[in-house]
Amino acid sequence: MRRFRAALIIAGLSIGAAAVLGAAAQDAEDAVLRLPLGPAALRGKTLAVTPGVTFAAAKGKAVTFDRMIGSLKKSRLVYVGETHDSLPMHDVQAAVIEALAAVVPKLSIGLEMLPVGFQPVLDRWSRGELSEDELIRETRWYLTWNFNFGYYRRIFLFAKDNGIPIYGLNSPRENVSTVRMKGWDA
């Protein structure tokens, strides 16, 4: 198995679910969002974030994008969340990947939206053996993920053009469906 100095995980976040589920879910979600994590000086405090501004959670203040990348390049794993249908969030993901690729040797990208079973297809993409249409077809993108490939296109093309391996991280769809319908014990 190949070892990489840093892996970048692109994963989706479900935003607004509590509004659909009602007040009880909102209370439960709030409790989770306020877990006492992080530096002691900031624990239990709420950080007001501003669109377009990068915040360092460890310091509780704004930092430049370059400073953030400087901090991230020391990490073994970087998780970059998203709202699935937000192109600006995907642009941030791509910018982080591009910046890290410039300073981190052997970067790899993990994608939550593709199951591990598609790894041979992703490997062929990374080697430049597939066209974009073939990648979409062979990953069954619009059945597997069902969000516009255009949101992720910049990431895929950058990885391919720069020889950065991409890994599918999700469990097979059948497993996800079974857990959703029958619970963890199934």
Side-chain angles (χ1 to χ4, degrees), residues 74-157:
K74 302 170 192 166
S75 300
R76 187 156 186 259
L77 181 71
V78 175
Y79 174 90
V80 183
E82 68 180 51
T83 299
H84 301 320
D85 59 356
S86 170
L87 185 56
M89 290 188 102
H90 294 292
D91 286 342
V92 168
Q93 290 173 329
V96 169
I97 291 168
E98 291 162 3
L100 283 174
V103 295
V104 175
K106 297 187 179 181
L107 182 72
S108 60
I109 301 170
L111 300 173
E112 170 248 355
M113 61 281 314
L114 289 172
V116 296
F118 287 116
Q119 194 56 53
V121 177
L122 293 171
D123 291 343
R124 288 174 49 223
W125 169 263
S126 294
R127 290 191 304 263
E129 297 171 6
L130 295 178
S131 69
E132 187 175 313
D133 288 340
E134 290 168 325
L135 173 73
I136 291 168
R137 185 176 55 255
E138 291 190 30
T139 59
R140 300 190 313 254
W141 183 270
Y142 289 103
L143 292 172
T144 304
W145 190 239
N146 202 31
F147 286 92
N148 191 316
F149 182 79
Y151 293 132
Y152 303 89
R153 186 173 191 269
R154 180 174 162 193
I155 294 167
F156 274 91
L157 292 177

